[in-house]
Amino acid sequence: MIGNPAATAYRGGVGDDTWAGLADLFVDEAYASVKGRVRTYVMHQQLLEHLPPPPATVLDVGGGAGHQSFPLAQAGYQVTLLDPSPAMLDKARQRLQRLPEEVRGRVTLLQGDGENATEALHGRQFDAVLCHGVLGYLDRPEPMVDQLCRCAADGGLVSIMTGNAKAAAVRPAMEQRWEDALAAFDARTEIGVLGVSGRADTVEEISELLLSRGVEPLHWYGVWLFVDWLEFGGAVLDVGDAERVAATAAVELEAARRDPYRQLSRVFHLVGRKGPG
């Protein structure tokens, strides 16, 4: 792909690991925040509604430090995490060492580009394929979606989380950047919270890509709503208040299932199931 430095950031795993400069910020700050914990919890619950029971096999494409797939390994799933960034895989190894030996034995870490996943995995297929927070770093979603569908076994789940193009004006509006918000109604790209350019899609567009590759969309959810608005509005959320974090996550989980709330989420989570070959 050409032209998008964010695409280079995702794909630069071998020679020039652009994520090396972002790994600490991504893992130690973003995921350690209330917002990060809410994302992990909400998506975990959504996945459990559709995943086959453990010890089913799960492929996490662009899985970073394992925040979404390691809890699945703890629940008994056999997890393969594929990521192009050595820096992110180092973070994954560090986090993995803090887990019990039994859980570590259910996790395989593999360096590789998701757009060449079938080659990296030698054609192996999985009961579930996750790709969360990756499509927005690519110029086009089609090559990655093609690989995700190829890596799913017949009857397997495909889970995609990416930016919601229909809610692109939310962040600049909450930050009172009114000119940017007005432009965002018709925009597909923005500079994200990590300072990296990102691109958004719609549920309908990604659903169509899945359908054309033999994967039937089952359901879609929102991911962040109120915590997003609070953060961009300047509120400080205390990650140390466990009771309040749990209450926040419960509200976010419910909003993620319902219209019109899910439609206003800055991120959406779409799950589909692959039909017989």
Side-chain angles (χ1 to χ4, degrees), residues 26 45 76 81 91 96 116 147 164 191 205 247 258 261 275 277:
F26 188 75
Q45 299 306 313
L81 190 156
K91 286 289 184 181
L96 193 58
N116 297 294
Q147 289 292 295
N164 180 11
I191 301 299
E205 290 165 348
R258 296 173 180 249
Y261 303 103

Side-chain angles (χ1 to χ4, degrees), residues 92-148:
R93 291 187 189 94
Q94 293 169 23
R95 297 187 66 249
L96 193 58
Q97 289 306 308
R98 298 197 289 266
L99 298 178
E101 182 178 356
E102 178 185 1
V103 176
R104 297 199 301 269
R106 290 195 286 266
V107 176
T108 300
L109 303 180
L110 182 63
Q111 184 178 338
D113 176 10
E115 289 179 292
N116 297 294
T118 52
E119 180 181 350
L121 295 158
H122 305 289
R124 182 184 173 195
Q125 293 184 313
F126 295 78
D127 299 316
V129 179
L130 319 182
C131 185
H132 300 158
V134 174
L135 291 190
Y137 294 122
L138 305 177
D139 291 325
R140 298 170 53 246
E142 291 86 353
M144 179 67 82
V145 173
D146 185 65
Q147 289 292 295
L148 303 177

Side-chain angles (χ1 to χ4, degrees), residues 14-87:
V14 178
D16 180 17
D17 185 7
T18 312
W19 277 104
L22 299 173
D24 289 343
L25 178 65
F26 188 75
V27 175
D28 301 330
E29 295 187 28
Y31 271 101
S33 66
V34 171
K35 185 174 170 180
R37 294 188 181 191
V38 164
R39 165 185 160 166
T40 301
Y41 172 80
V42 166
M43 293 196 65
H44 186 73
Q45 299 306 313
Q46 292 166 357
L47 285 169
L48 291 181
E49 292 181 10
H50 301 281
L51 283 171
T57 57
V58 176
L59 171 64
D60 190 3
V61 176
H67 286 85
Q68 202 68 62
S69 54
F70 287 0
L72 294 175
Q74 290 175 283
Y77 290 91
Q78 299 289 330
V79 169
T80 298
L81 190 156
L82 179 72
D83 199 280
S85 168

